[in-house]
Amino acid sequence: MDSDPLSLSEDTLAALQSFLHEKQELDDQFAKLQENADDMFNEKQKITMDYFQEDWQLSQFWYDDATAEFLATRALENTDDGDYIAFISSPTAYVAFRNLAPERSNAFVFEFDKRFDVFKDKYVFYDFNKPLDFARASEFKGKFKFIVADPPFLNKDCLSQTVETAQFLAADNAKIMIDTGAVMEDLANELAGARITGFYPAHRGGLSNEFRCYSTFEDNNLKWA
């Protein structure tokens, strides 16, 4: 027996149309960002993460504004002008840092998502599965005084390989922050000497997994728990 054709209620159809309209607007905004990337970058214009839609297939869950600003401020306050700063798989924190301190020219975002190549030479394509295989690796080895890492997946291999990258990049006495699940506490300490802190990273859409911040250092606003 033939079944009736699938139909959507008016409310569902309206919600779908609204979603598609919003997505198209964001796609148009990002296209404009790409077209004007040179001018926007040179002018140090503030850029919002609203330009970049989360891609759940890449396990992208953007920080909320308060978390991104907190991480960016830690990087700013624990470094000097000229120090190299790496944001590994943490584009939200990088964008916040860029907006907070546009004069700092040695901050880089290491990221798999090639949409972030709008940041030109501050973007480094990075695949955690190949932790030491990225552009300018020999130039960057041992240069970075501050590193923020946000492994995209909650498993041993992802954290281990991300830490391998961080340790490769790290200068002597570098400060490292790792934002990942609470279940990774022991491994973060074992691999990087990073201890759990009292800061709880938060995400725009919320996450079911408890997230924590681990660090190899303390400062006036970041303390070990």
Side-chain angles (χ1 to χ4, degrees):
M1 182 174 62
D2 294 337
S3 59
D4 293 333
L6 179 64
S7 61
L8 300 176
S9 69
E10 290 186 6
D11 288 344
T12 302
L13 184 59
L16 177 60
Q17 290 174 334
S18 176
F19 169 79
L20 292 175
H21 178 70
E22 181 179 349
K23 182 179 184 301
Q24 185 60 54
E25 285 187 338
L26 290 171
D27 288 344
D28 291 344
Q29 288 177 357
F30 184 73
K32 184 177 180 180
L33 175 65
Q34 286 184 307
E35 291 174 4
N36 300 308
D38 289 329
D39 291 338
M40 294 182 75
F41 190 87
N42 291 333
E43 293 171 5
K44 306 299 183 184
Q45 180 173 332
K46 285 191 175 183
I47 291 178
T48 169
M49 287 301 292
D50 291 339
Y51 286 119
F52 307 92
Q53 297 180 69
E54 294 172 335
D55 185 338
W56 294 350
Q57 291 184 330
L58 297 179
S59 191
Q60 289 179 337
F61 303 95
W62 301 152
Y63 297 132
D64 65 17
D65 291 343
T67 295
E69 185 173 339
F70 180 85
L71 298 175
T73 302
R74 302 279 65 69
L76 180 62
E77 293 184 353
N78 285 282
T79 55
D80 297 320
D81 290 346
D83 285 347
Y84 278 67
I85 302 168
F87 295 87
I88 303 174
S89 304
S90 188
T92 326
Y94 171 76
V95 168
F97 183 87
R98 181 184 180 278
N99 289 337
L100 188 65
E103 72 282 358
R104 292 290 196 97
S105 61
N106 289 331
F108 297 83
V109 57
F110 292 72
E111 171 58 41
F112 186 81
D113 187 345
K114 291 184 178 180
R115 290 179 298 172
F116 291 95
D117 67 2
V118 295
F119 294 113
K120 303 299 181 181
D121 63 334
K122 306 307 177 187
Y123 166 79
V124 180
F125 175 75
Y126 171 72
D127 181 350
F128 75 85
N129 290 300
K130 301 175 181 178
L132 303 183
D133 183 11
F134 51 85
R136 303 169 68 182
S138 59
E139 173 191 347
F140 284 152
K141 182 179 181 181
K143 268 199 169 183
F144 288 78
K145 286 290 190 178
F146 198 97
I147 298 169
V148 178
D150 183 359
F153 298 98
L154 291 180
N155 61 57
K156 180 178 180 179
D157 286 346
C158 185
L159 178 56
S160 298
Q161 288 160 190
T162 300
V163 169
E164 183 179 357
T165 304
Q167 292 175 334
F168 176 85
L169 294 172
D172 291 340
N173 301 314
K175 294 178 170 64
I176 298 175
M177 296 180 73
I178 302 171
D179 297 295
T180 187
V183 297
M184 309 303 287
E185 178 179 359
D186 290 342
L187 191 59
N189 184 260
E190 175 188 339
L191 295 173
R195 296 172 57 179
I196 195 167
T197 71
F199 177 67
Y200 287 79
H203 298 78
R204 289 185 174 189
L207 285 181
S208 58
N209 299 308
E210 182 184 357
F211 244 67
R212 297 301 298 265
C213 175
Y214 308 88
S215 73
T216 61
F217 69 97
E218 293 181 293
D219 66 17
N220 290 336
N221 294 289
L222 183 70
K223 301 295 182 183
W224 292 320

